[in-house]
Amino acid sequence: MPEGPFGKYLVVVIGAGPAGLFASRYLAANDVHVALLNRDVMPGGLAEYGIYFDKYKMKEGLRRQFQQIMDLPQIDYFGNVTIGEKGDLRLSDLRALGFQALLVTVGAQGTKWLGLPGENLVGVYHAKDLVYHYNLLPPQSTMEFRIGKRVALIGAGNVMLDIAHWLIREIKVDEVISVVRRGPNEVKFSKEELKIVIRNLDLAKLESELARTRPIAAEVGQDVNEAKEYILSTLPKGLEPVSNTRFYFEFLAAPNRIIGNEGGFATGLEVEDTTLVCSEGDVEAKRLSTRRILDVDSVIFCIGDKVDETFGLAVRKNAFVKHPNPLYPVDALSFEAYDPDVNRPVDRVFVAGWSREASSGLVGVARKDGENGARAILEYLASTPSLVDPMSIMNALSTKLAKLSKPVVQKADLIKLYQAAAREATNAGLPEYKFKTNEEMLKAMGLYDHQV
Ligand SMILES: Cc1cc2nc3c(=O)[nH]c(=O)nc-3n(C[C@H](O)[C@H](O)[C@H](O)COP(=O)(O)OP(=O)(O)OC[C@H]3O[C@@H](n4cnc5c(N)ncnc54)[C@H](O)[C@@H]3O)c2cc1C
Ligand SMILES: NC(=O)c1ccc[n+]([C@@H]2O[C@H](COP(=O)([O-])OP(=O)(O)OC[C@H]3O[C@@H](n4cnc5c(N)ncnc54)[C@H](OP(=O)(O)O)[C@@H]3O)[C@@H](O)[C@H]2O)c1
């Protein structure tokens, strides 16, 4: 039960990824008491369950920073609680409790389907689910994914390379094809990530793709030699290969449909040829209506995510809708949730991080966005009266959470979880250990009996 003292204001932050955690810290430093609610048992979001699992040092550094935030007495943590229309509590339930502001930092948990025929075939997945799977986030941790031998990855960002990393160095499939709707000059991945798989790249195929795309790129003022230099500059520092996986790019190829067999399994990807056109200062892919089929048995969309449409806020352009004329802008950006159906801001609700702009940037970007969301809230709070009885609101929240048919995880429970995981890691001689299911985590914290 939260005990206080509570400071001047009381704010609920929903989602304990980097945006929510750093927002909470910012608020806590400014006389705000924070109730931090999180779907996952553990805090960290994609920093815990997205960043590739072998980046131990980076993840450990982030966990240390998160722990310092979690240790702040102004922050009460409630994990294993999902907010949403189909969740444990609705956004409106929290608002009704009387919190002065609500900050939504739940990331982008929805799926960006393109509506292509064959998306529902076995062997067709979205990157986030696979990423959650190999990073052991329940429930994806125990789901089955049927990965074949020849895998098409749609997209050319860092998520594509994370999945390529897993397929090439862990699963060791025969072929990984990065299917790119624009040209070689528009790849979005970083050199650092490319180094991990560059030595599996089919260099002859790269040359032929560069030759094929050269005249088309030239039409929009691009020189594919620059892309070649970008890609090949990573070769000298490329990691020693551990598989014979052939990795290559198919440029100027937009996914059109996934072909399947009678059993419902993916057996090919039809792509439509594209050309490049200039549009409002950008280079876009224009479909040409000629098509070809790539001989693959798995297709993974690495095209970014969208927010969860069942959360309870309006969605546009993959993110929650923001006030077009914000009352509390920060760096000229709007953090205020908006209801376009009634043309009004959503009372007291703010958004930040990947909930504000889906699939945008690294942890540092989410941190800054969370802090800016907190700044917007502080501006808003400055014009609202202090709460008379914050304790009763926190008590009402605790009462509501206690009525859920599942245990709610608090800070003291997490300490037990981390200790249990550390013991497992030591016993198994591993750099780290993660429990695969919520049951295992709840048992490790002594909360499983609470289960009804
Ligand atoms: C595959 C992948 C790899 C990445 N690798 C790197 C990297 O190596 N380095 C780097 O700097 N950045 C990396 N990033 C980017 C980084 O992870 C993001 O910038 C950052 O995590 C976004 O933070 P966020 O807090 O907005 O959202 P998230 O990290 O997604 O956090 C959302 C939080 O909200 C909670 N939540 C979700 N829904 C609900 C709900 N309905 N109710 C309550 N709580 C909810 C979740 O439990 C989670 O804790 C990677 C991203 C991906 C997808
Ligand atoms: N190791 C790391 O540091 C790491 C790892 C993973 C993620 N991240 C970060 O997380 C963020 C998200 O990464 P991301 O890879 O998901 O996004 P991203 O960098 O935006 O890449 C998305 C890719 O999908 C393509 N795409 C989008 N919609 C498409 C469609 N309808 N049809 C075909 N292709 C489509 C894009 O092509 P267009 O360019 O043509 O739109 C682009 O190639 C990025 O900031 C990334 O840097 C970092």
Side-chain angles (χ1 to χ4, degrees):
M1 183 77 77
E3 285 167 359
F6 288 111
K8 205 167 164 193
Y9 301 110
L10 196 52
V11 170
V12 63
V13 175
I14 307 164
L21 285 160
F22 286 109
S24 298
R25 184 174 73 174
Y26 200 96
L27 291 167
N30 285 280
D31 217 6
V32 178
H33 195 89
V34 176
L36 177 57
L37 273 60
N38 197 38
R39 176 198 64 192
D40 304 336
V41 166
M42 289 204 287
L46 283 167
E48 184 61 57
Y49 290 110
I51 293 179
Y52 203 82
F53 52 82
D54 69 359
K55 291 186 177 174
Y56 299 114
K57 231 170 136 186
M58 176 198 278
K59 292 183 101 152
E60 216 25 70
L62 285 168
R63 284 187 195 123
R64 259 199 309 275
Q65 290 186 55
F66 297 160
Q67 192 53 51
Q68 284 168 5
I69 297 172
M70 294 284 286
D71 285 344
L72 293 171
Q74 300 93 329
I75 299 174
D76 288 313
Y77 180 78
F78 304 98
N80 200 28
V81 180
T82 301
I83 308 304
E85 293 299 301
K86 297 177 179 168
D88 302 312
L89 294 176
R90 291 170 188 215
L91 197 54
S92 51
D93 296 327
L94 294 173
R95 205 174 19 222
L97 288 176
F99 286 97
Q100 284 157 300
L102 300 88
L103 178 61
V104 177
T105 48
V106 293
Q109 308 299 332
T111 303
K112 198 167 126 189
W113 293 110
L114 297 183
L116 304 180
E119 281 181 341
N120 57 349
L121 289 164
V122 180
V124 181
Y125 304 110
H126 269 258
K128 184 167 38 50
D129 292 317
L130 268 183
V131 165
Y132 280 165
H133 173 70
Y134 65 60
N135 274 309
L136 301 182
L137 174 70
Q140 283 87 347
S141 50
T142 51
M143 284 179 186
E144 274 206 23
F145 292 84
R146 180 188 165 276
I147 303 294
K149 290 283 173 204
R150 297 173 310 283
V151 187
L153 305 182
I154 315 293
N158 279 328
V159 169
M160 180 282 289
L161 278 184
D162 269 4
I163 300 284
H165 179 177
W166 183 65
L167 293 170
I168 292 170
R169 299 188 71 91
E170 299 289 329
I171 309 296
K172 301 181 180 166
V173 300
D174 291 348
E175 275 191 9
V176 172
I177 314 167
S178 167
V179 179
V180 192
R181 65 176 166 182
R182 296 194 285 168
N185 294 59
E186 279 93 19
V187 293
K188 288 186 170 166
F189 50 72
S190 63
K191 289 185 183 181
E192 209 47 42
E193 300 310 310
L194 185 59
K195 279 182 204 160
I196 297 165
V197 290
I198 184 69
R199 290 189 49 195
N200 283 75
L201 191 72
D202 181 334
L203 298 179
K205 172 69 176 169
L206 178 68
E207 284 299 342
S208 72
E209 279 296 278
L210 292 172
R212 183 174 74 86
T213 53
R214 188 180 307 277
I216 297 164
E219 287 286 314
V220 292
Q222 294 178 342
D223 178 359
V224 294
N225 283 340
E226 287 172 16
K228 179 177 175 178
E229 156 64 19
Y230 184 82
I231 292 170
L232 295 186
S233 66
T234 63
L235 254 182
K237 288 189 178 164
L239 290 197
E240 188 69 35
V242 296
S243 72
N244 292 321
T245 306
R246 178 180 176 231
F247 176 42
Y248 62 97
F249 293 100
E250 287 283 349
F251 293 110
L252 300 175
N256 205 46
R257 73 181 165 115
I258 301 124
I259 300 156
N261 63 18
E262 285 174 359
F265 293 88
T267 57
L269 170 70
E270 184 180 83
V271 293
E272 188 165 337
D273 296 317
T274 63
T275 190
L276 299 174
V277 290
C278 289
S279 167
E280 292 172 9
D282 203 2
V283 170
E284 284 184 0
K286 182 175 166 221
R287 287 176 180 253
L288 290 172
S289 76
T290 50
R291 297 177 186 135
R292 58 206 159 93
I293 289 170
L294 303 180
D295 176 22
V296 296
D297 50 18
S298 312
V299 178
I300 300 165
F301 288 91
C302 313
I303 59 174
D305 301 310
K306 77 187 290 189
V307 292
D308 175 5
E309 288 180 294
T310 68
F311 184 76
L313 290 174
V315 177
R316 213 174 264 168
K317 288 193 184 156
N318 303 317
F320 294 126
V321 180
K322 276 82 55 189
H323 197 322
N325 303 302
L327 302 171
Y328 313 99
V330 179
D331 292 350
L333 293 174
S334 176
F335 293 84
E336 295 149 50
Y338 194 75
D339 184 344
D341 288 342
V342 291
N343 285 324
R344 264 206 309 267
V346 185
D347 181 32
R348 288 172 281 155
V349 178
F350 293 73
V351 293
W354 280 26
S355 285
R356 196 186 63 75
E357 193 177 344
S359 298
S360 164
L362 302 178
V363 165
V365 175
R367 169 192 171 152
K368 183 163 184 240
D369 213 65
E371 289 172 347
N372 283 347
R375 285 169 66 194
I377 288 181
L378 290 169
E379 286 286 315
Y380 161 75
L381 290 176
S383 59
T384 62
S386 305
L387 277 180
V388 179
D389 189 7
M391 173 81 94
S392 70
I393 296 173
M394 289 305 288
N395 285 345
L397 175 66
S398 295
T399 305
K400 257 193 182 305
L401 294 174
K403 283 186 187 152
L404 297 180
S405 59
K406 63 186 198 181
V408 172
V409 174
Q410 301 198 40
K411 287 183 191 177
D413 305 314
L414 283 179
I415 292 170
K416 291 183 201 159
L417 179 65
Y418 296 147
Q419 285 170 346
R423 275 196 303 274
E424 294 285 343
T426 308
N427 291 344
L430 295 169
E432 67 175 40
Y433 182 86
K434 266 186 186 164
F435 293 99
K436 250 186 172 179
T437 64
N438 279 355
E439 279 90 25
E440 285 172 345
M441 284 191 256
L442 294 172
K443 274 182 188 154
M445 292 180 280
L447 293 175
Y448 194 64
D449 290 345
H450 183 107
Q451 194 95 10
V452 288

